């Protein structure tokens, strides 16, 4: 479920964002606490070894190693690599969201321009909308782990009422090795074309408006599929992940508090808890987690898109719009500003 | 109310932007003065403790802690994180603004292409425009705290004349668990379709032009809704906020003026007032405040969009355009450049 | 007037950009020389005071202050803040330019598809184009100081022939508290609709093409208005301006040449003229001036858009296209590649 | 073949990205291992020479040279140059992917709106779709090395059934020195126009919808061609490559472990294996490899677009849609939510 | 001529980009060698003066000056300023390329939907396409130095067959002080309108499709013109150029090898050839040259767009498409996958 917090920050108030820091659901703490514990444990273990287990000459050697690690940890360009990478991931994620399929544009057209209040007319409008919903369901099944769990086979699609058993037979008989989400689109346009011949769609201007909306809808679905298929190159993700992991490996050694009596510059004080290193862990790992969470928003994270809800909403709303509400208007009365 | 200052900076003049620094309304000072006072107080208290309350060995310890904090404060990548984050927030904010609903495109079409100067024609055009305004009102109610305060219930919507009591009954009888802003859109297209059958809309080219504008309008409203629903991931906002807050916590300790007689490098002078740290507070907090103010522009900040004004303007203007101005043209006369 | 220099840099030649450094009009020198003089004066005065007016202990104190200022001046993130801010300003500025209204798309449609070579036909086409020009004039009056100076009242608009006195009466009688630039658009579509009924526009396909171009044109104008109304948040501009001004205040103290005999590191040489600080002044102030000049491109700067020229050009060209050139074609003859 | 990994990262889990680090196919290791070996060898050889082959005075000289190289290696702005450059390359790459030709929009139109279940009708629809596929094949041949290998001559195109021998004759007789991918588009529209005259396309609304989709399809193909033709300026690529190569040349000398007994600052410890330099090699070279892999995604890298698969899929799917599925609808039955 | 190298980098291979470093045409070396020679000469002369001409006290003074210059050279934010500026220039350059006029969309429409195989029909189609080509030619003449050289006067345009002498007379008699590239567009739509009246264009759906493509084409041309007219603000270009030139001026003094016996930190070794400074010259100047080359891509650089080729190709191809190929279809035969 998406984590919505915009109403909490409607006004810029006194320390306005601090309230956001205290949430658990979808928060950085929930995402990171396990990594944080591992990091803190490793750091502590090394710290204990340095303080208690090592002999003096070993300590001196470790101190040199620590200084060396610290020096190079600062040279790893984590900030930039992450900045550019996260910007890319966020753009992709947002484009995916903007291409989520909503049948609203199609349903207002079909509700008003596919005529006939008899059973045949109702059946026609409902079937058209069912095909529309079927297109997006087929695409969602291939990109969303959540939807895939709910509809693991075509049987489940038929059971849920998105496809009739007859359609299923035809669907499976069509012999193509490729992904078949385009089939209901062909059915849709052919059915619309048939409705045009029967006069249930008045003329070709209406028909083309409907077909062009269908194409727009299907292109949105295809775009989702393409974003899932290709995505951000693996190499880029690996480079960034390596950079962050290396940085923290270097930090575990390089950010140890060294014996202040040795008077290494920058090591005058021994605080035991490396507060700033832990905070840096939160910033950088948190930034990487932003990417990790957004790179596939069709999973089951707290902040992922609710594909299953979207599928249900679209079916319920579109059926109501083209069936119950077809030519079912409230009476027109004068509004209160009349004259 | 939006703070407009572009006319003040029409020309690039001598120290042109300095005038902007002296404004209060919508300014950084108004937004930040409370946080600034808190920060200054904390800094001063710590300063007083250091100078008067601590014994000499404690002072030496505090000085080491201060140097340590100062060193790491500089390593926190506030600038970059803020730069990338604010760029993202500003883009979202601007896209929201560009999707604010304006019925002007629809009203010129309805005014000119829905015929009939009789009462039925007027009623038809007014009802169509009312539905258009109703769509955006329903969406605004769910995203804008200001509009939500003004129209807390559907009663208020009916009272304000955006919905008739009959429509309300139908609206509430439609049984859907989902957000219902699409209902007036279905009414609109069905009513337009009815007008087409009665011949008040001449042919389907006109009708489709109207329906397609309606879809464009509704898509704008939906986009606003989607931006509010999903928004920038909470984790990103938390990472940035944590970075800024941590930086300033570190500054409160690390930017204290240490006793110059101890000859710490960079601490040769004691100015009492840490002028540059205070200015840094203004830059970074101000930058974060930019984000805080823009992340939800439908609140009641000085610089937020005036949703309520927009709702009123749209209703007033669109009613006038489709009713009073329908086929009410000034006489055509030759212009002054004729021949 | 816009400063066009692209023809000077058509080819990448030997030190190609250096020629651009020697221009005065629209140049950084013209924009900055006053600020530069002020900055140089302040620096010199402080330098004289330090060298001649201060006693030795005061000098030592000043030197410490100077070192302190210098250290923090480098910490102010001027480069980044400016980089992100100027990128934002440049994007807005370019979008404004891309939305400048050009009636060319409309005029080719009206010239060819609104029939009638009699006086009534000419009057019709001219009136339609006049309304189009009137829309943009009304918008320009509210956003451009240059246009506002030329047309301070509606009287001037009528005198210049953009509006007839009859239209003015109707315009002012329409009772709306809101900005009225939409009124000529309603007139336009109603007049086009009337022309359709009289058969001067052949069918609704033509009519809808014209109306849809009108909507496109009006949306461009509205976009200009919206960019002027909301613009870049004041807080952001203030943050950036503060950062730059603070940086230079710190520089005036921190970049003084200190007595080399005191052997402060980095102060081994006394050049009297702080050449690099002055150049930095040019970079950063110049970068800020870029923003200052572009944030409102409808003023009277050297590099601002020529709104008044644009208004005149549009009227002249569009009148010629729909009147003199209507169905006035050069004879068709075979071109030189025929067979 | 594209490397798809989005399903592996559907949920942000404990050290979620680490699994990606262990892949070989399409990974940074596969891309970089050869360069890495070369780099490591050169470093080791120099290290051995320094440790064993040089006399003491030569060692001192080498140490000075090494320190000098190290100092300047840090000044080379690899991070920024790479950040900006890779962002540009990724944008181009993604635009190419988004312009990959899919005939789905066209095929639903042709399947439903080009009538006739007789042989002539089938032939007409199949020929139209064949022309569509031919356009993209011709473009792919010129931009993709993989497709060029499969279809080195027009003979291969004819053999694969994308062109009939008759068409080939006409195609080759058309005398134009320029790239001929536009020819099938002209054939397509002329054939559609003929179908309109024969009544197989009902009216011009349908025809224009088809032609406009064809133009959209062809513009996508042309865009691919243009991206291949111009691409990112060679100079930019050279600047970035030079920066990276120089950086690593400097590192080979500058990052040698110098004799700790000489007490150069930062050289207190001799680890033999320059672990951080090797990791930096992975980051920066990996980042450059991202660019190298994406700059021409129509080659045969692991992560390149599968042009040949795309050509086959488009032909198979589009033929099935316009032939077998034309007016071949599953029977309409009531869905399970009926009433 | 554009430098195309994408086929050289189709696959990411062993040191893949190094081959690009060895090209001369369109390369950084060709663009920069003159500046490089000047820079190297100035550096050498100063070096010689310092080593041989100066007396010892002067040497000490020069060394202090050199250290001072070196310190400040590093503070000049060349990297960022260049990064942001070049990104802007590259975006503009690419948008220009994407708006290059191609008449292909128009020619398929005119070839198929403007009927008549008689001479009058041929003349009509050829004249329409000629107007289309004339629009872009007029625009290219004003923005491209290469095209301007080829067509310095309207005489040349007439001679090259883009305009007939009759058209020229009409063109020059139209009395307008403004740029006249819109005139052929008005001719085009009026001629198309006449063809519609004569029945050579079947109905208004076809006509509007043609007119709307014409408007799209013309808008592309206008966009090119606007990009040339306004472009990137001069001030921005000056700021960037100043930054780079200043940086290198500072380097000439600050990067001299100082006498190692004076033991200035970082000056332990005297290499005579400042290899890294020369490489930095290549990076930064190269980056600036990228901008210089792209800021006006209509010149005669190696990497500029081939406007003259584009004009010729468009004329040749479009004439062939609307004349020879009009209704001249290859015979339809069954493809090899039939059944």
């Amino acid at each position: 479920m998406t984590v919505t917090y915009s109403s909490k920050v409607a006004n810029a108030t006194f320390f306005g964002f601090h309230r956001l820091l205290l949430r658990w659901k979808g928060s950085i703490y929930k995402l990171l606490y396990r990594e944080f514990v591992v990091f803190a444990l490793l750091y502590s273990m090394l710290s204990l070894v340095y303080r208690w287990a090592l002999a003096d000459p070993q300590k001196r050697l470790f101190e040199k190693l620590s200084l060396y690690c610290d020096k190079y940890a600062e040279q790893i360009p984590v900030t930039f690599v992450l900045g550019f990478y996260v910007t890319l991931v966020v753009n992709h994620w947002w484009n995916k969201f903007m291409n989520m399929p909503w049948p609203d544009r199609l349903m207002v057209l079909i509700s008003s321009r596919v005529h006939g209040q008899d059973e045949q007319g109702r059946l026609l409008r409902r079937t058209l909308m069912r095909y529309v919903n079927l297109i997006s369901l087929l695409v969602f099944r291939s990109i969303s782990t959540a939807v895939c769990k709910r509809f693991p086979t075509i049987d489940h699609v038929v059971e849920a009422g998105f496809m009739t058993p007859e359609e299923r037979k035809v669907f499976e008989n069509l012999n193509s090795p490729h992904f078949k989400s385009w089939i209901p689109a062909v059915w849709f346009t052919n059915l619309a074309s048939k409705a045009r011949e029967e006069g249930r769609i008045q003329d070709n201007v209406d028909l083309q408006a409907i077909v062009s909306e269908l194409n727009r809808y299907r292109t949105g679905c295809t775009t989702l599929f393409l974003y899932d298929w290709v995505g951000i190159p693996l190499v880029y993700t690996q480079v960034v992940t390596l950079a962050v992991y290396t940085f923290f490996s270097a930090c575990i050694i390089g950010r140890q508090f060294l014996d202040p009596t040795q008077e290494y510059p920058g090591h005058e004080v021994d605080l035991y808890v490396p507060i700033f290193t832990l905070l840096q862990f939160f910033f950088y790992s948190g930034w990487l987690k932003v990417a990790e969470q957004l790179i596939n928003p069709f999973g089951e994270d707290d902040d992922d898109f609710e594909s299953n809800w979207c599928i249900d909403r679209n079916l319920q709303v579109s059926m109501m719009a083209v069936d119950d509400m077809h030519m079912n208007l409230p009476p027109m009365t004068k509004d209160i500003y009349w004259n």
Side-chain angles (χ1 to χ4, degrees), chain A:
Chain A
M1 209 180 73
T2 318
V3 179
T4 305
Y5 62 98
S6 63
S7 63
K8 310 263 180 221
V9 288
N11 300 326
T13 54
F14 184 43
F15 280 111
F17 275 3
H18 78 249
R19 272 167 303 172
L20 298 180
L21 293 181
L22 305 175
R23 296 173 59 122
W24 173 254
K25 181 118 186 285
S27 78
I28 191 182
Y29 318 119
K30 184 169 171 201
L31 277 169
L32 266 183
Y33 74 97
R34 286 163 305 198
E35 282 87 345
F36 183 75
V37 167
V38 169
F39 180 77
L41 272 181
L42 287 175
Y43 183 92
S44 312
M45 276 164 49
L46 198 65
S47 185
L48 290 176
V49 167
Y50 166 62
R51 286 167 200 266
W52 302 107
L54 296 185
D56 258 28
Q58 291 170 311
K59 277 189 178 176
R60 293 301 86 75
L61 201 71
F62 179 84
E63 282 154 8
K64 279 175 185 167
L65 182 69
S66 172
L67 290 170
Y68 173 79
C69 283
D70 193 27
K71 181 184 152 202
Y72 282 101
E74 280 169 40
Q75 282 185 15
I76 300 169
V78 192
T79 320
F80 282 101
V81 179
L82 271 173
F84 283 110
Y85 178 73
V86 169
T87 300
L88 180 65
V89 171
V90 167
N91 283 344
H92 271 230
W93 163 77
W94 192 254
N95 286 342
K96 283 179 192 172
F97 183 56
M98 285 289 105
N99 279 297
M100 290 279 280
W102 306 107
D104 299 47
R105 291 174 73 107
L106 258 166
M107 81 193 185
V108 300
L109 271 171
I110 289 176
S111 172
S112 63
R113 302 309 298 154
V114 180
H115 299 285
Q117 282 169 294
D118 55 336
E119 189 165 283
Q120 195 63 16
R122 286 181 60 201
L123 189 54
L124 178 61
R125 285 191 298 275
R126 288 181 76 100
T127 307
L128 287 173
M129 282 322 297
R130 215 159 32 72
Y131 288 160
V132 169
N133 284 292
L134 183 55
I135 295 171
S136 49
L137 177 58
L138 291 177
V139 168
F140 271 132
R141 275 185 67 218
S142 91
I143 61 174
S144 163
T145 51
V147 177
C148 197
K149 270 190 196 162
R150 186 172 155 199
F151 300 98
T153 66
I154 289 284
D155 284 332
H156 293 80
V157 175
V158 174
E159 259 166 51
F162 285 85
M163 212 184 222
T164 63
E166 290 82 6
E167 284 158 10
R168 191 202 166 164
K169 236 174 278 166
V170 179
F171 184 81
E172 294 190 334
N173 284 340
L174 283 167
N175 192 16
S176 169
H178 306 294
F179 185 54
K180 282 172 164 177
S181 75
W182 53 273
I183 289 180
V186 179
W187 287 346
F188 180 100
T189 49
N190 274 292
L191 186 56
S193 196
K194 215 175 120 205
R196 169 75 191 90
E197 270 152 51
E198 292 167 3
R200 287 180 182 279
I201 293 175
Q202 231 172 3
D203 69 10
N204 285 346
V205 174
D206 282 356
L207 178 60
Q208 286 302 343
I210 291 171
V211 170
S212 125
E213 278 303 332
L214 188 266
N215 261 336
R216 184 188 173 121
Y217 182 87
R218 217 193 54 77
T219 302
C221 293
T222 306
T223 307
L224 284 188
F225 181 76
L226 294 177
Y227 269 89
D228 183 73
W229 181 36
V230 167
I232 289 158
L234 178 60
V235 180
Y236 206 165
T237 304
Q238 285 184 326
V239 166
V240 176
T241 311
L242 262 184
V244 174
Y245 284 18
T246 309
F247 178 72
F248 287 118
S249 309
C251 280
I252 284 175
I253 302 175
R255 296 285 172 83
Q256 294 290 344
F257 288 100
L258 304 183
D259 188 352
T261 61
Q262 299 292 323
E263 300 199 330
Y264 298 109
H267 286 272
E268 292 82 5
V269 67
D270 183 350
L271 293 175
Y272 301 98
V273 181
I275 181 75
F276 290 108
T277 303
L278 295 179
L279 283 165
Q280 263 187 333
F281 181 84
F282 260 102
F283 308 147
Y284 289 132
S285 298
W287 222 0
L288 189 65
K289 276 284 167 190
V290 171
E292 209 170 308
Q293 202 184 32
L294 300 184
I295 207 168
N296 186 345
F298 294 106
E300 290 157 300
D301 288 334
D302 277 0
D303 224 343
D304 279 351
F305 304 151
E306 291 133 323
S307 319
N308 276 315
W309 173 87
C310 168
I311 287 168
D312 292 334
R313 185 260 174 204
N314 285 351
L315 188 67
Q316 202 267 332
V317 160
S318 60
M319 283 306 171
M320 185 182 278
V322 299
D323 195 352
D324 308 359
M325 293 181 70
H326 173 67
M327 284 302 150
N328 180 6
L329 284 165
M332 268 203 298
T333 52
K334 295 182 184 171
D335 57 88
I336 63 175
Y337 303 107
W338 186 273
N339 294 331

